[in-house]
Amino acid sequence: MVLGGLLGASVYLTTADFVRRAAFEHRSHAVTATVVQIRHGDPVVAFTTAAGEEVTAVAHGEYRRGGPREVGARYLIEDPGAVAMADHRWAPWWVLVAGAAAAFAVHARWAPTGIRGGWVWRRARTHVKGPGPGGWTRRTLLRPAAGAAVLLVSAAAFAALPVFLGDLPGLAADPAGLILLVPATVCVVGAGTVAVRAAYRWAELVSAPRPPRPFRLLSPGWFWLPALAVCAATTLWGLASPVADRLERWEAGTAEIVDVRCEPRGRGASCTTYLTITYAVDGLPYVEEVPGDYARGGVPVEWDPEDPTSVRITD
């Protein structure tokens, strides 16, 4: 279930990105837009559509400090509020799915607790002790086959439903309809689980005249070492960040508070205050959210010269 949920989430994210890219490639108009604001790291652009409609919307992509305010953009014909910068690079749709599938394949084939390992242990036990009582019959196969078929039909229904409920531009503007791909993937993983359990049952009930072919297992450390390396790298990065901040030259200015949000901490009455602030860098307004205490009027802030979206309140 956990594996199916994680794989389903990756399928949803990659499919949503793929649908957006396909919509902007085939159902969009090119236009010259003006960057009017940077909101939470994303550029806000203003432009006029081919029909003469004035539109201001958040665009997919990024704007680097010092770049021209007049930029190329594309908007969806059916939904002009969905905009992407002309030079925006969409993530390869297959990366997350391929990564998840590769990790699963390595574990299934070479891990001591993987599918191949489970098969070998059962065949070895059957070779030594003999098959289990009852033997393997067609009726034994009927239940897992029916269960896997029901799960696969359910997966196909879940996957097909977004296509019938929304068209390509609609899903590109609001990919929430693709969320049904998550239960579809869970159903596919469930069908695979049923098939694996049926194979395990076959391995226990059918005689094994010869011992199973041995294979090289990956030690448990092979799986733990990458995780420990990531933890160590994260810790070193966290320790080095304050040092880099002290060495880096930040630019200072004043920001205005436009909104206050209080996020509860645990079950107590206390909460963490987050401020939505607006400040100008080279005449371009930026809007970001930072933790801090509410104060009337302007608050002193400083930002990274290379990336003004990296901002903090100074004491």
Side-chain angles (χ1 to χ4, degrees), residues 2 19 27 59 99 147 218 300:
V2 175
V19 168
R27 303 295 295 273
L218 291 175

Side-chain angles (χ1 to χ4, degrees), residues 257 259-263 271-276 289-293:
I257 299 174
D259 192 21
V260 180
R261 179 173 65 89
C262 191
E263 186 174 293
C271 62
T272 302
T273 304
Y274 289 91
L275 309 176
T276 301
E289 186 179 68
V290 295
D293 297 326

Side-chain angles (χ1 to χ4, degrees), residues 109-175:
R109 184 171 177 81
W110 287 299
T113 56
I115 295 175
R116 189 179 184 188
W119 168 271
V120 169
W121 309 145
R122 285 168 173 78
R123 293 302 284 166
R125 184 173 59 191
T126 301
H127 175 72
V128 174
K129 296 185 177 181
W136 180 267
T137 63
R138 291 184 178 180
R139 180 174 295 183
T140 311
L141 178 64
L142 182 61
R143 177 180 292 182
V150 169
L151 287 171
L152 290 176
V153 170
S154 301
F158 279 127
L161 198 56
V163 178
F164 292 106
L165 295 181
D167 56 356
L168 183 64
L171 292 174
D174 182 16

Side-chain angles (χ1 to χ4, degrees), residues 5-300:
L6 293 175
L7 189 59
S10 67
V11 169
Y12 165 70
L13 292 174
T14 52
T15 304
D17 201 58
F18 174 74
V19 168
R20 288 195 194 97
R21 179 173 58 181
F24 277 104
E25 287 179 352
H26 303 289
R27 303 295 295 273
S28 65
H29 270 317
V31 70
T32 299
T34 303
V35 179
V36 297
Q37 189 184 74
I38 305 297
R39 179 176 293 273
H40 304 304
D42 297 320
V44 179
V45 298
F47 59 93
T48 304
T49 67
E53 180 184 358
E54 299 288 338
V55 177
T56 301
V58 178
H60 296 284
E62 63 176 345
Y63 174 81
R64 293 187 177 276
R65 181 181 182 182
R69 299 288 180 86
E70 301 294 324
V71 296
R74 302 191 71 90
Y75 67 90
L76 294 182
I77 300 173
E78 291 84 356
D79 184 10
V83 191
M85 305 285 274
D87 59 353
H88 178 54
R89 291 188 176 183
W90 301 95
W93 64 270
W94 47 266
V95 171
L96 285 177
V97 176
F104 171 75
V106 170
H107 181 272
R109 184 171 177 81
W110 287 299
T113 56
I115 295 175
R116 189 179 184 188
W119 168 271
V120 169
W121 309 145
R122 285 168 173 78
R123 293 302 284 166
R125 184 173 59 191
T126 301
H127 175 72
V128 174
K129 296 185 177 181
W136 180 267
T137 63
R138 291 184 178 180
R139 180 174 295 183
T140 311
L141 178 64
L142 182 61
R143 177 180 292 182
V150 169
L151 287 171
L152 290 176
V153 170
S154 301
F158 279 127
L161 198 56
V163 178
F164 292 106
L165 295 181
D167 56 356
L168 183 64
L171 292 174
D174 182 16
L178 296 173
I179 198 67
L180 291 176
L181 292 175
V182 176
T185 307
V186 172
C187 288
V188 172
V189 173
T193 302
V194 171
V196 170
R197 289 180 176 175
Y200 283 170
R201 189 62 177 160
W202 185 93
E204 293 172 340
L205 297 179
V206 175
S207 61
R210 294 185 299 273
R213 186 175 63 181
F215 66 97
R216 185 181 181 86
L217 290 174
L218 291 175
S219 65
W222 189 91
F223 299 98
W224 283 105
L225 283 177
L228 293 176
V230 170
C231 291
T234 304
T235 303
L236 292 176
W237 179 84
L239 294 175
S241 292
V243 177
D245 286 346
R246 287 193 294 269
L247 296 177
E248 190 174 10
R249 295 182 60 187
W250 288 57
E251 294 182 358
T254 303
E256 295 293 330
I257 299 174
V258 296
D259 192 21
V260 180
R261 179 173 65 89
C262 191
E263 186 174 293
R265 292 183 296 185
R267 298 182 179 179
S270 62
C271 62
T272 302
T273 304
Y274 289 91
L275 309 176
T276 301
I277 60 174
T278 178
Y279 54 100
V281 181
D282 299 337
L284 182 64
Y286 283 73
V287 178
E288 297 293 337
E289 186 179 68
V290 295
D293 297 326
Y294 176 73
R296 292 185 178 274
V299 292

